[in-house]
Amino acid sequence: MEKIIRNKLYKEFIEPTKQRKNFIGIEIEVPIINLNKKPVDFDIVHKITDNFKKEFSDFSPNGIDYDGNTFSLKNPNNSDIVCYDCSYNNIEFAMGREKDLFTINNRFIEYYNYVKEEFEKYNYTLTGMGINPYRRYNKEIPIPSERYLMLYHHLKSFNKYNDIPMHFHNYPGYGMFSSASQVQLDVHYNDLIKTINTFTKIEPIKAILFSNSVLMDENKHLTCFRDALWEYSTHGINPHNIGMYDVDFEDIDDILNYLETLNIYCVMRDGAYINFETINLLEYFNKDSIKGDIYDKKGYRQIEIKPNINDIDYLRAFKFINLTFRGTVEFRSVCTQPISDTMSVAAFHLGLKEKIDELHEFISKDRVIFHKGYTASELRKLLIQDEIPSFINKKKLCELTNNILNIAKDGLNKRGLGEEIFLKPLYNRVKYHTNPGKEMIKSLHDGIKIEKIIKDYGGV
């Protein structure tokens, strides 16, 4: 059975990377904010969704909830999707794959401006923050659909795991108020090992550049609280399912070995999700049967199923760097950015991918943050705080970060499309020793109203 599992993992995650492509995919999650300091009215959300469908007639529904409301629209011509993520408190712009960032940016700005203007008619707005600053006003109600009800059911089940030596936070609905900016890049089979190993080592630098999820009124010293939301949830029961890789991969077998260490927590049968206590993949397939919960539109009931090799299709890891079934590498550790800086995330990753050999050689020789007794994971946890640890030389850290940006710029220059312009806000962050999360903390400390920050971070 283990050979069958391994072959399936190879076919799903590794085989697709052997095709030579060079596309970019971007997903941008954005919080919806009711400036009246009341819960987001979902009826207003549904009206705006209908208006969007009329304005952009190429889009058609591809997700309808149990109440008959559209939660996802797709344009079949370019594969753009405008949808709601986890709840109707978050909107997501999942841009269809393209060869250049300008094409993606132009379409994103068009969609974003339209939706924002529609919301402003009701004294609502959109903004570029990784945690909704008005989360405490909202109702944490998942989209009544198969996937999101299952996901919330899973995250709420942390009380079942009494025998696990870990601390759980009290935010099982965090998917309804946290937002990310995710990038998917085509990475060829021959570059997989170096790409994963190298990008893992620069996660601490990404924390410095991109942190933008401050939990208002709590943990205000953390500029990227999103990391903790994933780590201390039921997704983090097996730490291999979240966060960073604490190992260097030597070959494809090492990647497959790692995939075999992941946990699985849901599958589908006859179009319905079944959620069960998270369990290691190999252990799952060693079971004759598994007991889980299934939702039948009235509530959850228990069901027993037999593991099937195709259940690997529902293996979901939430690593900072993920292999996907599409043959892409997904980078998912970055918070949603101020909207005017949105493309900086993709530009950074794309440029470095183009210069992966140079980046690998450069970061391998680093002595500014590495070889100080800390792993990359530990360094990221230190660098998502608003104060740089004293053992790190701040001037040298800025030089290190600037040099990595220069490598990304060279990679974009190599493409010859002018995309390096999108890195400009990152150079400014290095110059002024800041990032959006730090800037938000400082602004609040200086007495600037959160409403002004919301407006500034939401501007194009």
Side-chain angles (χ1 to χ4, degrees), residues 343-410:
M343 288 300 125
S344 66
V345 184
F348 179 79
H349 291 87
L350 180 61
L352 292 178
K353 190 202 87 164
E354 294 291 330
K355 290 284 186 176
I356 192 63
D357 291 335
E358 185 177 335
L359 177 64
H360 174 75
E361 182 178 356
F362 178 77
I363 201 66
S364 297
K365 296 176 180 177
D366 172 66
R367 294 295 185 273
V368 177
I369 59 174
F370 287 110
H371 301 279
K372 304 282 188 182
Y374 293 91
T375 66
S377 292
E378 291 166 341
L379 286 167
R380 180 169 170 103
K381 288 183 178 181
L382 292 171
L383 292 173
I384 61 171
Q385 301 182 43
D386 60 349
E387 291 292 335
I388 301 295
S390 59
F391 71 87
I392 296 177
N393 184 301
K394 294 181 182 179
K395 181 179 179 181
K396 290 183 178 179
L397 179 60
C398 286
E399 291 174 357
L400 171 67
T401 308
N402 214 70
N403 285 334
I404 289 174
L405 284 177
N406 287 340
I407 296 172
K409 184 178 180 180
D410 288 346

Side-chain angles (χ1 to χ4, degrees), residues 28-220:
I28 306 148
E29 301 162 3
V30 181
I32 300 169
I33 296 175
N34 183 347
L35 294 171
N36 303 303
K37 296 185 177 180
K38 293 180 180 180
V40 168
D41 185 337
F42 296 163
D43 286 338
I44 290 175
V45 173
H46 301 321
K47 286 179 185 176
I48 291 172
T49 306
D50 289 340
N51 291 346
F52 184 93
K53 185 171 54 176
K54 294 173 185 174
E55 179 71 17
F56 298 92
S57 57
D58 287 341
F59 281 81
S60 58
N62 74 321
I64 306 291
D65 70 20
Y66 291 152
D67 297 329
N69 296 305
T70 299
F71 67 86
S72 181
L73 294 163
K74 183 173 183 177
N75 182 340
N77 300 320
N78 55 26
S79 296
D80 287 351
I81 296 174
V82 175
C83 60
Y84 298 93
D85 184 61
C86 291
S87 79
Y88 289 112
N89 297 314
N90 291 337
I91 190 167
E92 177 178 325
F93 302 90
M95 311 304 296
R97 68 179 194 171
E98 292 290 348
K99 294 264 187 177
D100 74 283
L101 293 178
F102 289 104
T103 300
I104 295 173
N105 186 54
N106 290 341
R107 294 208 304 263
F108 164 68
I109 294 301
E110 184 181 11
Y111 304 151
Y112 176 84
N113 279 340
Y114 176 82
V115 173
K116 185 169 181 282
E117 288 171 10
E118 286 292 299
F119 272 116
E120 285 172 348
K121 295 175 182 177
Y122 301 92
N123 200 31
Y124 283 43
T125 194
L126 305 179
T127 194
M129 293 182 182
I131 288 183
N132 190 324
Y134 278 14
R135 66 181 180 84
R136 63 184 179 275
Y137 302 121
N138 285 337
K139 295 176 182 177
E140 289 187 359
I141 300 174
I143 293 171
S145 71
E146 191 68 44
R147 178 189 172 201
Y148 291 119
L149 286 171
M150 178 280 297
L151 182 59
Y152 189 44
H153 182 69
H154 173 61
L155 291 168
K156 284 195 305 179
S157 70
F158 63 91
N159 288 323
K160 291 182 179 179
Y161 299 93
N162 297 318
D163 58 343
I164 293 178
M166 72 172 283
H167 161 73
F168 291 101
H169 59 60
N170 293 313
Y171 311 106
Y174 69 87
M176 305 182 207
F177 63 77
S178 65
S179 303
S181 181
Q182 296 165 190
V183 179
Q184 293 199 29
L185 300 177
D186 289 318
V187 176
H188 191 262
Y189 176 90
N190 295 337
D191 296 322
L192 272 183
I193 304 299
K194 189 173 289 186
T195 298
I196 294 173
N197 288 343
T198 305
F199 272 96
T200 292
K201 287 183 174 62
I202 65 165
E203 283 295 343
I205 299 300
K206 287 166 62 176
I208 293 170
L209 286 171
F210 295 110
S211 288
N212 188 30
S213 53
V214 178
L215 193 67
M216 294 282 291
D217 305 321
E218 302 174 55
N219 299 286
K220 286 190 290 186

Side-chain angles (χ1 to χ4, degrees), residues 247-258:
V247 295
D248 265 352
F249 296 126
E250 293 183 0
D251 52 30
I252 295 297
D253 276 344
D254 271 0
I255 294 180
L256 292 170
N257 289 338
Y258 199 96

Side-chain angles (χ1 to χ4, degrees), residues 4-9 12-13 264 267 281 284-285 308-316 325:
I4 295 173
I5 296 168
R6 200 172 185 85
N7 288 341
K8 176 70 170 174
L9 289 170
E12 297 296 337
F13 290 100
I264 187 169
V267 296
L281 186 67
Y284 171 80
F285 283 111
N308 182 299
I309 191 61
N310 291 321
D311 292 340
I312 284 177
D313 294 345
Y314 303 99
L315 180 63
R316 295 287 183 269
F325 294 145

